[in-house]
Amino acid sequence: MHPIAALQSEWSLFSRDVERSAVGAAADLGVTVVPYSPLGRGFLTGAFADAGKDLQSGDFRAHQPRFTGENAERNAALLDPVREIAAAHGATPAQIALAWVQQRASVHGVTVVPIPGTRKRSRLLENAAATRITLTDAELAELEPIAGRVAGDRYPDMSSTAVSREV
């Protein structure tokens, strides 16, 4: 048997269920965590000024509960502290979201290699610069409650996700 080298799971300011047991197990076993959607499927970038209404036709997020209707409006309001912290660091909301993942990994004693899903070279450089941002304890405390306030599930059917397995 070959040992497990990496665990790929969604992990972001909006999705923290992986912290219940998977991240701790990864740390105990020396397994790297590869967070996908560390930018909350783009929501944490602040790019959706009008949340669900800004999605192009055919965008899969138009069917994601967090991006639709009142959920989208409520979730957009959750970005205010992210934007404020970004401004204080001369950074983007995306950089703050990525810096947060890095620091949460340190708290859990696990190595992370996030997959932000970048399509543009400028975004790649921006994302890489997030590794130079260190959030203060006060900033981390301000970001802490966000996941608990997110409206809507990650997927329309959550039966095959960690949430259904770890409850």
Side-chain angles (χ1 to χ4, degrees):
M1 270 194 328
H2 192 277
I4 295 172
L7 163 69
Q8 185 173 335
S9 188
E10 186 166 356
W11 192 9
S12 73
L13 278 165
F14 271 21
S15 299
R16 295 182 58 184
D17 55 295
V18 70
E19 292 181 34
R20 286 191 199 125
S21 63
V23 170
D28 290 346
L29 297 170
V31 172
T32 297
V33 177
V34 182
Y36 68 82
S37 297
L39 300 178
R41 302 178 192 275
F43 216 115
L44 292 165
T45 67
F48 301 102
D50 198 1
K53 295 178 183 124
D54 288 341
L55 299 173
Q56 300 294 321
S57 175
D59 190 319
F60 81 98
R61 293 172 292 191
H63 304 288
Q64 304 297 301
R66 292 181 177 178
F67 283 84
T68 58
E70 288 182 21
N71 289 344
E73 292 173 24
R74 288 178 53 198
N75 293 335
L78 296 175
L79 297 181
D80 290 342
V82 179
R83 286 188 185 98
E84 290 169 14
I85 293 168
H89 283 271
T92 65
Q95 289 174 314
I96 298 306
L98 290 169
W100 178 89
V101 169
Q102 293 288 340
Q103 286 185 244
R104 285 302 297 165
S106 294
V107 167
H108 289 282
V110 67
T111 301
V112 294
V113 180
I115 306 171
T118 303
R119 294 183 184 157
K120 297 178 183 173
R121 179 177 292 209
S122 63
R123 296 293 186 219
L124 174 65
L125 298 173
E126 175 184 319
N127 293 343
T131 62
R132 296 188 296 274
I133 297 172
T134 301
L135 302 171
T136 67
D137 289 342
E139 290 167 336
L140 291 169
E142 195 172 351
L143 298 172
E144 180 66 25
I146 289 176
R149 296 178 181 155
V150 172
D153 287 331
R154 293 181 351 219
Y155 301 101
D157 175 9
M158 292 290 289
S159 64
S160 64
T161 66
V163 169
S164 66
R165 294 188 301 269
E166 294 193 27
V167 173

